[in-house]
Amino acid sequence: MLLGALVVYPIVYSVYRSFLDREGTGFAGLDNYTALFQDDTIRTAIENNLIWVVLAPTVSTALGLIFAVLTERIRWGTAFKLIVFMPMAISMLAAGIIFRLVYDQAPERGVANAVWVGVHDTFAESGGYPKARPLPVHPLKAGGGGAFVTKEPVRAGEPALLPLVGVAPDRMPDDARPAKPVSDPGDGITGTVWLDFTKGGGGTPNVVDPKELGLKGIRVEAVKDGKVVATATAGADGVFTLPASADGSVLRLPADNFREPYNGVEWLGPSLVTPGIIGSYVWMWAGFAMVLIAAGLAGLPRELLEAARVDGANEWQVFRRITVPMLAPVLAVVLVTLMINVLKVFDLVFIIAPGSSQDDANVLALQLYRTSFGTDADLGVGSAIAVLLLLLVIPVMLFNVRRIRKEGRR
């Protein structure tokens, strides 16, 4: 009676309801099932479920196997297993909230982007003045590729003025000093790179006013006949000096000075949201796989492993030819269990995927919820999705039952 009330009746009623219309008063035939493959959102959910079934159980089982084998060889293996298994004690809701923060686009909040940006900036640091640009009245013009060049060649003995605007106050160096106009250029090329903007107004374009700051650290190149003949870096007061060989050259401010800061990867964007959520699932369930595989590993006859080593097999050969084949029943249990689990995944996708990417991360269980509840609910299509989920789970369950019977006959 309990089996009939809790299992059989809901299944039978869901199948029956899937053949009725939205209101449940008229017979819809196969229309609800036809809608599953005509709706783009539902098709995306089916495709994502296939990705989940292939990737999540495989990666979780592989990591669990690696962890189980390696923890046998380290002194603090028990502590390691405890740490890896600990995410299993966290609910799916809590794990979703954690990874929603981990994948935050802002590097100052999202751990994933903080690490990624740190690695990126190690090799390609952003420029100091990403929004800086000249005005039309300035002696600079766009030089292609994000660089700026002087409109006329510079001459020795004449001060070179390189004014810019568009630098936000928070981008100015803390030790920036008031820009210094060049009074005695000397025999070389001496000039000033500065922010041609007076706070509160009153400044004159192309003139170094007392309240305007130098743009410290900007690199200046002297280009003659397409080749860089000299380079200089502006000081805290914006002053730079080039040798006399730069006479007659065009000054260029390279694009490196203005490169936009790298803000990391859009983990929860349309292209990466599903792999990102699968990563959070693996974080939770790799510990489950590790514990089961470690239990199976503890029951392996050690004399077989030692005999293989005595016969000259290296550790990789022992692992591939003996350990993995003997663990095959345990690996099958873990893999099948996780496959059934991921077919029903809902919480992580619902919590982690933002509204703008939820359609791209959609899975059948989430689509079942979205279709069956709310003001635009359609219980006919929702029941059809539930039946489809059941049909997808049944082959995996049959495989598991056959495997268990086969093991029982042994």
Side-chain angles (χ1 to χ4, degrees):
M1 289 177 62
L2 287 174
L3 185 64
L6 299 178
V7 179
V8 177
Y9 172 73
I11 292 176
V12 173
Y13 183 77
S14 294
V15 174
Y16 165 73
R17 185 64 181 85
S18 68
F19 290 104
L20 301 182
D21 58 14
R22 180 190 295 266
E23 292 77 18
T25 57
F27 183 70
L30 296 176
D31 291 348
N32 293 327
Y33 291 95
T34 303
L36 298 184
F37 301 96
Q38 291 179 342
D39 189 290
D40 291 338
T41 304
I42 299 178
R43 282 208 304 267
T44 301
I46 296 173
E47 293 171 0
N48 285 339
N49 261 103
L50 293 175
I51 295 173
W52 272 88
V53 169
V54 172
L55 286 183
T58 305
V59 176
S60 299
T61 304
L63 283 177
L65 176 61
I66 293 171
F67 290 156
V69 172
L70 293 182
T71 50
E72 279 204 329
R73 300 178 175 274
I74 55 178
R75 186 173 300 174
W76 40 275
T78 303
F80 182 86
K81 289 178 183 177
L82 178 64
I83 294 172
V84 175
F85 188 73
M86 196 176 295
M88 283 296 298
I90 303 175
S91 69
M92 286 281 196
L93 174 64
I97 293 173
I98 290 170
F99 273 85
R100 183 66 180 267
L101 295 174
V102 167
Y103 291 137
D104 195 292
Q105 181 68 28
E108 61 271 16
R109 293 194 300 269
V111 175
N113 266 334
V115 174
W116 193 263
V117 169
V119 173
H120 176 275
D121 287 351
T122 301
F123 301 97
E125 188 176 357
S126 61
Y129 307 98
K131 301 291 184 180
R133 65 192 184 281
L135 292 174
V137 296
H138 287 161
L140 290 167
K141 64 179 181 180
F148 299 107
V149 298
T150 53
K151 296 176 181 177
E152 301 293 337
V154 293
R155 296 297 176 185
E158 298 178 3
L161 300 178
L162 305 179
L164 294 170
V165 296
V167 181
D170 61 339
R171 297 299 302 184
M172 292 297 294
D174 295 334
D175 57 346
R177 301 207 304 265
K180 180 181 178 182
V182 177
S183 56
D184 183 15
D187 296 333
I189 304 294
T190 304
T192 306
V193 188
W194 82 100
L195 179 62
D196 194 13
F197 172 79
T198 301
K199 189 175 182 180
T204 304
N206 292 326
V207 175
V208 181
D209 296 302
K211 295 183 179 180
E212 295 174 348
L213 298 176
L215 296 179
K216 178 185 177 182
I218 278 195
R219 189 159 60 93
V220 182
E221 296 177 342
V223 181
K224 188 182 294 185
D225 298 328
K227 296 181 179 180
V228 177
V229 296
T231 60
T233 301
D237 56 3
V239 175
F240 64 91
T241 301
L242 294 165
S245 59
D247 181 44
S249 62
V250 171
L251 298 187
R252 179 172 65 189
L253 303 180
D256 291 348
N257 295 312
F258 315 108
R259 185 184 294 118
E260 291 283 348
Y262 181 67
N263 292 318
V265 177
E266 192 179 2
W267 298 104
L268 299 182
S271 57
L272 291 178
V273 63
T274 294
I277 300 173
I278 291 175
S280 67
Y281 179 90
V282 171
W283 175 76
M284 289 191 68
W285 287 87
F288 167 81
M290 177 197 67
V291 169
L292 292 188
I293 295 171
L297 197 60
L300 294 183
R302 300 295 166 176
E303 57 271 14
L304 289 179
L305 304 179
E306 294 302 327
R309 294 187 180 99
V310 170
D311 288 341
N314 56 38
E315 292 302 319
W316 170 245
Q317 290 172 327
V318 171
F319 174 76
R320 185 165 59 93
R321 299 293 182 87
I322 298 177
T323 303
V324 172
M326 295 186 69
L327 283 176
V330 178
L331 296 176
V333 169
V334 174
L335 197 61
V336 171
T337 302
L338 294 181
M339 287 176 68
I340 296 174
N341 187 272
V342 299
L343 282 171
K344 304 179 295 180
V345 68
F346 165 79
D347 316 58
L348 288 176
V349 181
F350 183 71
I351 298 298
I352 297 177
S356 59
S357 300
Q358 202 164 85
D359 284 345
D360 300 286
N362 201 15
V363 290
L364 284 173
L366 176 59
Q367 185 60 32
L368 169 61
Y369 169 79
R370 296 169 66 181
T371 303
S372 304
F373 299 94
T375 56
D376 195 33
D378 188 338
L379 292 179
V381 176
S383 299
I385 296 175
V387 174
L388 176 61
L389 267 176
L390 176 64
L391 294 176
L392 292 175
V393 170
I394 284 176
V396 183
M397 294 176 61
L398 290 177
F399 171 80
N400 206 23
V401 170
R402 290 182 60 187
R403 188 197 57 75
I404 292 173
R405 288 179 177 175
K406 186 176 179 180
E407 290 294 321
R409 288 195 296 268
R410 289 183 181 178

mmCIF file of all heavy atoms in Angstrom, residues 302-336:
data_model
loop_
_atom_site.group_PDB
_atom_site.id
_atom_site.type_symbol
_atom_site.label_atom_id
_atom_site.label_comp_id
_atom_site.label_asym_id
_atom_site.label_seq_id
_atom_site.Cartn_x
_atom_site.Cartn_y
_atom_site.Cartn_z
ATOM 1 N N ARG A 302 46.021 -7.265 -1.229
ATOM 2 C CA ARG A 302 47.311 -6.584 -1.380
ATOM 3 C C ARG A 302 48.369 -7.481 -2.022
ATOM 4 O O ARG A 302 49.316 -6.995 -2.640
ATOM 5 C CB ARG A 302 47.803 -6.100 -0.015
ATOM 6 C CG ARG A 302 46.859 -5.123 0.657
ATOM 7 C CD ARG A 302 46.779 -3.845 -0.148
ATOM 8 N NE ARG A 302 45.648 -3.009 0.272
ATOM 9 C CZ ARG A 302 45.399 -1.821 -0.213
ATOM 10 N NH1 ARG A 302 46.178 -1.321 -1.150
ATOM 11 N NH2 ARG A 302 44.357 -1.127 0.205
ATOM 12 N N GLU A 303 48.198 -8.813 -1.873
ATOM 13 C CA GLU A 303 49.224 -9.699 -2.434
ATOM 14 C C GLU A 303 49.280 -9.610 -3.954
ATOM 15 O O GLU A 303 50.352 -9.786 -4.554
ATOM 16 C CB GLU A 303 48.975 -11.142 -2.001
ATOM 17 C CG GLU A 303 47.609 -11.696 -2.360
ATOM 18 C CD GLU A 303 46.561 -11.432 -1.296
ATOM 19 O OE1 GLU A 303 46.834 -10.601 -0.408
ATOM 20 O OE2 GLU A 303 45.486 -12.062 -1.357
ATOM 21 N N LEU A 304 48.122 -9.316 -4.592
ATOM 22 C CA LEU A 304 48.140 -9.167 -6.050
ATOM 23 C C LEU A 304 48.937 -7.930 -6.466
ATOM 24 O O LEU A 304 49.715 -7.975 -7.435
ATOM 25 C CB LEU A 304 46.712 -9.063 -6.574
ATOM 26 C CG LEU A 304 45.860 -10.338 -6.520
ATOM 27 C CD1 LEU A 304 44.465 -10.066 -7.050
ATOM 28 C CD2 LEU A 304 46.523 -11.459 -7.330
ATOM 29 N N LEU A 305 48.750 -6.847 -5.736
ATOM 30 C CA LEU A 305 49.476 -5.623 -6.048
ATOM 31 C C LEU A 305 50.972 -5.808 -5.827
ATOM 32 O O LEU A 305 51.795 -5.380 -6.651
ATOM 33 C CB LEU A 305 48.950 -4.473 -5.184
ATOM 34 C CG LEU A 305 47.445 -4.184 -5.276
ATOM 35 C CD1 LEU A 305 47.076 -3.027 -4.348
ATOM 36 C CD2 LEU A 305 47.036 -3.857 -6.705
ATOM 37 N N GLU A 306 51.320 -6.449 -4.713
ATOM 38 C CA GLU A 306 52.739 -6.661 -4.428
ATOM 39 C C GLU A 306 53.359 -7.625 -5.425
ATOM 40 O O GLU A 306 54.512 -7.457 -5.832
ATOM 41 C CB GLU A 306 52.899 -7.186 -2.997
ATOM 42 C CG GLU A 306 52.494 -6.199 -1.915
ATOM 43 C CD GLU A 306 53.282 -4.919 -2.002
ATOM 44 O OE1 GLU A 306 54.474 -4.953 -2.398
ATOM 45 O OE2 GLU A 306 52.709 -3.844 -1.692
ATOM 46 N N ALA A 307 52.602 -8.652 -5.838
ATOM 47 C CA ALA A 307 53.133 -9.608 -6.821
ATOM 48 C C ALA A 307 53.423 -8.913 -8.149
ATOM 49 O O ALA A 307 54.430 -9.193 -8.812
ATOM 50 C CB ALA A 307 52.132 -10.741 -7.021
ATOM 51 N N ALA A 308 52.545 -8.001 -8.532
ATOM 52 C CA ALA A 308 52.775 -7.266 -9.780
ATOM 53 C C ALA A 308 54.026 -6.408 -9.682
ATOM 54 O O ALA A 308 54.813 -6.321 -10.638
ATOM 55 C CB ALA A 308 51.557 -6.404 -10.091
ATOM 56 N N ARG A 309 54.235 -5.777 -8.527
ATOM 57 C CA ARG A 309 55.435 -4.950 -8.364
ATOM 58 C C ARG A 309 56.688 -5.822 -8.378
ATOM 59 O O ARG A 309 57.721 -5.415 -8.936
ATOM 60 C CB ARG A 309 55.338 -4.165 -7.060
ATOM 61 C CG ARG A 309 54.211 -3.114 -7.049
ATOM 62 C CD ARG A 309 54.273 -2.250 -5.814
ATOM 63 N NE ARG A 309 53.197 -1.253 -5.795
ATOM 64 C CZ ARG A 309 52.077 -1.374 -5.115
ATOM 65 N NH1 ARG A 309 51.888 -2.473 -4.357
ATOM 66 N NH2 ARG A 309 51.154 -0.449 -5.153
ATOM 67 N N VAL A 310 56.612 -6.986 -7.751
ATOM 68 C CA VAL A 310 57.763 -7.894 -7.754
ATOM 69 C C VAL A 310 58.087 -8.351 -9.171
ATOM 70 O O VAL A 310 59.259 -8.514 -9.550
ATOM 71 C CB VAL A 310 57.482 -9.105 -6.835
ATOM 72 C CG1 VAL A 310 58.559 -10.179 -7.011
ATOM 73 C CG2 VAL A 310 57.414 -8.665 -5.385
ATOM 74 N N ASP A 311 57.047 -8.528 -9.991
ATOM 75 C CA ASP A 311 57.255 -8.969 -11.379
ATOM 76 C C ASP A 311 57.756 -7.842 -12.281
ATOM 77 O O ASP A 311 57.960 -8.060 -13.485
ATOM 78 C CB ASP A 311 55.946 -9.522 -11.953
ATOM 79 C CG ASP A 311 55.582 -10.868 -11.338
ATOM 80 O OD1 ASP A 311 56.490 -11.513 -10.776
ATOM 81 O OD2 ASP A 311 54.402 -11.257 -11.410
ATOM 82 N N GLY A 312 57.941 -6.634 -11.725
ATOM 83 C CA GLY A 312 58.539 -5.544 -12.496
ATOM 84 C C GLY A 312 57.573 -4.498 -12.987
ATOM 85 O O GLY A 312 57.981 -3.577 -13.725
ATOM 86 N N ALA A 313 56.301 -4.572 -12.616
ATOM 87 C CA ALA A 313 55.338 -3.562 -13.058
ATOM 88 C C ALA A 313 55.576 -2.258 -12.302
ATOM 89 O O ALA A 313 55.804 -2.264 -11.085
ATOM 90 C CB ALA A 313 53.914 -4.053 -12.825
ATOM 91 N N ASN A 314 55.515 -1.147 -13.023
ATOM 92 C CA ASN A 314 55.621 0.150 -12.343
ATOM 93 C C ASN A 314 54.256 0.547 -11.772
ATOM 94 O O ASN A 314 53.250 -0.152 -11.980
ATOM 95 C CB ASN A 314 56.156 1.229 -13.289
ATOM 96 C CG ASN A 314 55.311 1.374 -14.546
ATOM 97 O OD1 ASN A 314 54.092 1.270 -14.500
ATOM 98 N ND2 ASN A 314 55.977 1.631 -15.678
ATOM 99 N N GLU A 315 54.221 1.676 -11.073
ATOM 100 C CA GLU A 315 52.982 2.054 -10.380
ATOM 101 C C GLU A 315 51.840 2.342 -11.352
ATOM 102 O O GLU A 315 50.677 2.053 -11.054
ATOM 103 C CB GLU A 315 53.237 3.275 -9.484
ATOM 104 C CG GLU A 315 54.139 2.990 -8.303
ATOM 105 C CD GLU A 315 53.586 1.885 -7.421
ATOM 106 O OE1 GLU A 315 52.361 1.862 -7.188
ATOM 107 O OE2 GLU A 315 54.366 1.028 -6.973
ATOM 108 N N TRP A 316 52.149 2.948 -12.490
ATOM 109 C CA TRP A 316 51.110 3.217 -13.465
ATOM 110 C C TRP A 316 50.523 1.917 -14.024
ATOM 111 O O TRP A 316 49.307 1.800 -14.205
ATOM 112 C CB TRP A 316 51.663 4.082 -14.590
ATOM 113 C CG TRP A 316 50.742 4.218 -15.776
ATOM 114 C CD1 TRP A 316 50.960 3.764 -17.038
ATOM 115 C CD2 TRP A 316 49.451 4.837 -15.786
ATOM 116 N NE1 TRP A 316 49.885 4.057 -17.845
ATOM 117 C CE2 TRP A 316 48.941 4.722 -17.109
ATOM 118 C CE3 TRP A 316 48.673 5.473 -14.828
ATOM 119 C CZ2 TRP A 316 47.702 5.212 -17.478
ATOM 120 C CZ3 TRP A 316 47.432 5.972 -15.191
ATOM 121 C CH2 TRP A 316 46.957 5.840 -16.501
ATOM 122 N N GLN A 317 51.389 0.936 -14.294
ATOM 123 C CA GLN A 317 50.896 -0.348 -14.792
ATOM 124 C C GLN A 317 50.062 -1.075 -13.740
ATOM 125 O O GLN A 317 49.039 -1.685 -14.056
ATOM 126 C CB GLN A 317 52.075 -1.218 -15.225
ATOM 127 C CG GLN A 317 52.771 -0.706 -16.477
ATOM 128 C CD GLN A 317 54.052 -1.457 -16.785
ATOM 129 O OE1 GLN A 317 54.758 -1.903 -15.867
ATOM 130 N NE2 GLN A 317 54.367 -1.607 -18.060
ATOM 131 N N VAL A 318 50.472 -1.000 -12.473
ATOM 132 C CA VAL A 318 49.687 -1.610 -11.396
ATOM 133 C C VAL A 318 48.318 -0.952 -11.304
ATOM 134 O O VAL A 318 47.286 -1.625 -11.150
ATOM 135 C CB VAL A 318 50.442 -1.502 -10.050
ATOM 136 C CG1 VAL A 318 49.551 -1.936 -8.892
ATOM 137 C CG2 VAL A 318 51.715 -2.343 -10.085
ATOM 138 N N PHE A 319 48.313 0.365 -11.400
ATOM 139 C CA PHE A 319 47.053 1.097 -11.308
ATOM 140 C C PHE A 319 46.131 0.765 -12.481
ATOM 141 O O PHE A 319 44.938 0.504 -12.297
ATOM 142 C CB PHE A 319 47.356 2.600 -11.280
ATOM 143 C CG PHE A 319 46.134 3.477 -11.338
ATOM 144 C CD1 PHE A 319 45.326 3.640 -10.224
ATOM 145 C CD2 PHE A 319 45.795 4.140 -12.514
ATOM 146 C CE1 PHE A 319 44.190 4.444 -10.277
ATOM 147 C CE2 PHE A 319 44.672 4.939 -12.577
ATOM 148 C CZ PHE A 319 43.872 5.094 -11.452
ATOM 149 N N ARG A 320 46.688 0.755 -13.692
ATOM 150 C CA ARG A 320 45.854 0.582 -14.888
ATOM 151 C C ARG A 320 45.440 -0.868 -15.113
ATOM 152 O O ARG A 320 44.310 -1.134 -15.530
ATOM 153 C CB ARG A 320 46.627 1.098 -16.110
ATOM 154 C CG ARG A 320 45.845 1.105 -17.409
ATOM 155 C CD ARG A 320 46.533 1.954 -18.459
ATOM 156 N NE ARG A 320 47.873 1.475 -18.734
ATOM 157 C CZ ARG A 320 48.184 0.612 -19.712
ATOM 158 N NH1 ARG A 320 47.221 0.129 -20.488
ATOM 159 N NH2 ARG A 320 49.420 0.238 -19.915
ATOM 160 N N ARG A 321 46.334 -1.805 -14.849
ATOM 161 C CA ARG A 321 46.061 -3.208 -15.175
ATOM 162 C C ARG A 321 45.450 -4.010 -14.017
ATOM 163 O O ARG A 321 44.822 -5.049 -14.265
ATOM 164 C CB ARG A 321 47.359 -3.888 -15.615
ATOM 165 C CG ARG A 321 48.010 -3.303 -16.859
ATOM 166 C CD ARG A 321 47.145 -3.555 -18.084
ATOM 167 N NE ARG A 321 47.756 -3.046 -19.293
ATOM 168 C CZ ARG A 321 48.626 -3.724 -20.043
ATOM 169 N NH1 ARG A 321 48.992 -4.936 -19.675
ATOM 170 N NH2 ARG A 321 49.133 -3.187 -21.130
ATOM 171 N N ILE A 322 45.616 -3.537 -12.782
ATOM 172 C CA ILE A 322 45.127 -4.329 -11.649
ATOM 173 C C ILE A 322 44.122 -3.551 -10.805
ATOM 174 O O ILE A 322 42.998 -4.014 -10.575
ATOM 175 C CB ILE A 322 46.316 -4.793 -10.766
ATOM 176 C CG1 ILE A 322 47.257 -5.691 -11.589
ATOM 177 C CG2 ILE A 322 45.811 -5.548 -9.534
ATOM 178 C CD1 ILE A 322 48.484 -6.129 -10.849
ATOM 179 N N THR A 323 44.522 -2.343 -10.354
ATOM 180 C CA THR A 323 43.658 -1.592 -9.442
ATOM 181 C C THR A 323 42.330 -1.227 -10.098
ATOM 182 O O THR A 323 41.256 -1.503 -9.541
ATOM 183 C CB THR A 323 44.372 -0.315 -8.967
ATOM 184 O OG1 THR A 323 45.606 -0.662 -8.341
ATOM 185 C CG2 THR A 323 43.506 0.427 -7.967
ATOM 186 N N VAL A 324 42.383 -0.603 -11.284
ATOM 187 C CA VAL A 324 41.145 -0.157 -11.935
ATOM 188 C C VAL A 324 40.239 -1.328 -12.312
ATOM 189 O O VAL A 324 39.030 -1.290 -12.029
ATOM 190 C CB VAL A 324 41.470 0.725 -13.157
ATOM 191 C CG1 VAL A 324 40.204 1.036 -13.959
ATOM 192 C CG2 VAL A 324 42.143 2.013 -12.717
ATOM 193 N N PRO A 325 40.746 -2.416 -12.938
ATOM 194 C CA PRO A 325 39.836 -3.537 -13.243
ATOM 195 C C PRO A 325 39.189 -4.145 -12.006
ATOM 196 O O PRO A 325 38.010 -4.514 -12.035
ATOM 197 C CB PRO A 325 40.758 -4.546 -13.944
ATOM 198 C CG PRO A 325 41.846 -3.724 -14.528
ATOM 199 C CD PRO A 325 42.076 -2.619 -13.545
ATOM 200 N N MET A 326 39.930 -4.242 -10.907
ATOM 201 C CA MET A 326 39.353 -4.828 -9.709
ATOM 202 C C MET A 326 38.362 -3.882 -9.025
ATOM 203 O O MET A 326 37.495 -4.327 -8.263
ATOM 204 C CB MET A 326 40.461 -5.224 -8.733
ATOM 205 C CG MET A 326 41.358 -6.340 -9.264
ATOM 206 S SD MET A 326 42.550 -6.921 -8.049
ATOM 207 C CE MET A 326 41.474 -7.734 -6.882
ATOM 208 N N LEU A 327 38.500 -2.605 -9.296
ATOM 209 C CA LEU A 327 37.562 -1.627 -8.738
ATOM 210 C C LEU A 327 36.377 -1.381 -9.663
ATOM 211 O O LEU A 327 35.521 -0.550 -9.346
ATOM 212 C CB LEU A 327 38.273 -0.301 -8.483
ATOM 213 C CG LEU A 327 39.167 -0.203 -7.248
ATOM 214 C CD1 LEU A 327 39.866 1.147 -7.213
ATOM 215 C CD2 LEU A 327 38.345 -0.390 -5.968
ATOM 216 N N ALA A 328 36.314 -2.073 -10.785
ATOM 217 C CA ALA A 328 35.260 -1.816 -11.770
ATOM 218 C C ALA A 328 33.854 -1.870 -11.172
ATOM 219 O O ALA A 328 33.020 -0.999 -11.465
ATOM 220 C CB ALA A 328 35.384 -2.795 -12.933
ATOM 221 N N PRO A 329 33.516 -2.857 -10.324
ATOM 222 C CA PRO A 329 32.157 -2.860 -9.735
ATOM 223 C C PRO A 329 31.871 -1.609 -8.905
ATOM 224 O O PRO A 329 30.772 -1.052 -8.983
ATOM 225 C CB PRO A 329 32.150 -4.124 -8.865
ATOM 226 C CG PRO A 329 33.202 -5.006 -9.453
ATOM 227 C CD PRO A 329 34.265 -4.077 -9.943
ATOM 228 N N VAL A 330 32.847 -1.174 -8.117
ATOM 229 C CA VAL A 330 32.648 0.023 -7.301
ATOM 230 C C VAL A 330 32.526 1.255 -8.199
ATOM 231 O O VAL A 330 31.664 2.124 -7.961
ATOM 232 C CB VAL A 330 33.808 0.187 -6.300
ATOM 233 C CG1 VAL A 330 33.630 1.455 -5.471
ATOM 234 C CG2 VAL A 330 33.914 -1.026 -5.401
ATOM 235 N N LEU A 331 33.374 1.354 -9.201
ATOM 236 C CA LEU A 331 33.308 2.497 -10.115
ATOM 237 C C LEU A 331 31.959 2.545 -10.828
ATOM 238 O O LEU A 331 31.403 3.629 -11.046
ATOM 239 C CB LEU A 331 34.448 2.416 -11.137
ATOM 240 C CG LEU A 331 35.871 2.521 -10.575
ATOM 241 C CD1 LEU A 331 36.894 2.334 -11.696
ATOM 242 C CD2 LEU A 331 36.083 3.863 -9.897
ATOM 243 N N ALA A 332 31.430 1.366 -11.178
ATOM 244 C CA ALA A 332 30.120 1.324 -11.830
ATOM 245 C C ALA A 332 29.026 1.830 -10.897
ATOM 246 O O ALA A 332 28.125 2.575 -11.306
ATOM 247 C CB ALA A 332 29.808 -0.095 -12.300
ATOM 248 N N VAL A 333 29.096 1.440 -9.621
ATOM 249 C CA VAL A 333 28.100 1.904 -8.642
ATOM 250 C C VAL A 333 28.145 3.426 -8.532
ATOM 251 O O VAL A 333 27.109 4.110 -8.564
ATOM 252 C CB VAL A 333 28.352 1.253 -7.263
ATOM 253 C CG1 VAL A 333 27.498 1.930 -6.189
ATOM 254 C CG2 VAL A 333 28.054 -0.227 -7.315
ATOM 255 N N VAL A 334 29.341 3.965 -8.397
ATOM 256 C CA VAL A 334 29.491 5.409 -8.248
ATOM 257 C C VAL A 334 29.000 6.128 -9.502
ATOM 258 O O VAL A 334 28.240 7.115 -9.427
ATOM 259 C CB VAL A 334 30.964 5.771 -7.962
ATOM 260 C CG1 VAL A 334 31.158 7.281 -7.956
ATOM 261 C CG2 VAL A 334 31.408 5.173 -6.640
ATOM 262 N N LEU A 335 29.408 5.651 -10.661
ATOM 263 C CA LEU A 335 29.056 6.308 -11.921
ATOM 264 C C LEU A 335 27.548 6.300 -12.147
ATOM 265 O O LEU A 335 26.946 7.332 -12.490
ATOM 266 C CB LEU A 335 29.778 5.612 -13.079
ATOM 267 C CG LEU A 335 29.876 6.366 -14.403
ATOM 268 C CD1 LEU A 335 30.633 7.670 -14.225
ATOM 269 C CD2 LEU A 335 30.552 5.508 -15.457
ATOM 270 N N VAL A 336 26.919 5.144 -11.924
ATOM 271 C CA VAL A 336 25.475 5.039 -12.148
ATOM 272 C C VAL A 336 24.709 5.898 -11.140
ATOM 273 O O VAL A 336 23.740 6.569 -11.493
ATOM 274 C CB VAL A 336 25.038 3.560 -12.068
ATOM 275 C CG1 VAL A 336 23.514 3.461 -12.065
ATOM 276 C CG2 VAL A 336 25.604 2.783 -13.239
#
